[in-house]
Amino acid sequence: MRIALVAHDKKKEDLVQFVTAYKSILGEHELFATGTTGTRIINEVGLSVFRYKSGPLGGDQQIGSAIANNEMDMVIFFRDPLTAQPHEPDVSALIRLCDVYQIPLATNMGTAEILLKGIEKGFLDWRLLEERRAR
């Protein structure tokens, strides 16, 4: 599966810890991330990650484009709901695209854990059906 990993500044450490804890599951999939988040995962966890631009510079929109082109299967986006984000419209658009294209989305650690456990047990294999890829 193709999994996008995104985190607001105050949530990056949480995401790195989460990816470390689930390295064995995430390591079996193609990982994508916005700039700084991807760099931290590469350097601190040792997983291979395709890096888009940083979120405020268009990385969220690049992931949104991948979703719209059926090139992403899941998004894990640790959002900081208590801090205003200058690129909030991009964040909202990314979440909307996940809903439009039925992409599993976790915005916190609890939901992300459930999604990864679901991947591990094959509950999300419907994303891998060839007819879904052909869209």
Side-chain angles (χ1 to χ4, degrees):
M1 294 189 81
R2 296 169 292 209
I3 303 170
L5 303 167
V6 185
H8 284 145
D9 288 344
K10 291 185 179 178
K11 298 291 183 174
K12 287 189 190 321
E13 183 61 32
D14 290 344
L15 184 61
V16 169
Q17 290 177 7
F18 179 82
V19 171
T20 300
Y22 288 97
K23 181 178 181 179
S24 63
I25 296 172
L26 289 167
E28 296 177 13
H29 302 277
E30 291 180 72
L31 304 179
F32 302 81
T34 50
T36 307
T37 302
T39 298
R40 288 198 57 186
I41 292 167
I42 292 166
N43 293 340
E44 297 176 41
V45 185
L47 289 174
S48 176
V49 179
F50 177 87
R51 290 177 52 240
Y52 290 110
K53 295 179 185 228
S54 97
L57 298 178
D60 298 333
Q61 291 180 340
Q62 289 177 298
I63 291 172
S65 175
I67 290 168
N69 289 311
N70 199 30
E71 297 168 354
M72 199 64 63
D73 297 303
M74 178 182 293
V75 176
I76 296 175
F77 188 166
F78 284 12
R79 296 176 61 226
D80 177 6
L82 301 178
T83 304
Q85 303 296 327
H87 63 293
E88 189 61 37
D90 298 336
V91 172
S92 296
L94 179 61
I95 292 169
R96 183 181 63 78
L97 284 168
C98 286
D99 289 340
V100 168
Y101 290 99
Q102 302 179 43
I103 301 299
L105 166 69
T107 59
N108 60 65
M109 195 175 298
T111 307
E113 183 172 31
I114 290 168
L115 286 180
L116 288 188
K117 291 292 187 177
I119 285 177
E120 192 175 44
K121 297 203 180 288
F123 297 157
L124 296 162
D125 286 353
W126 59 271
R127 281 291 313 157
L128 302 176
L129 297 174
E130 197 56 42
E131 55 270 16
R132 291 201 61 80
R133 295 278 185 227
R135 281 198 214 175

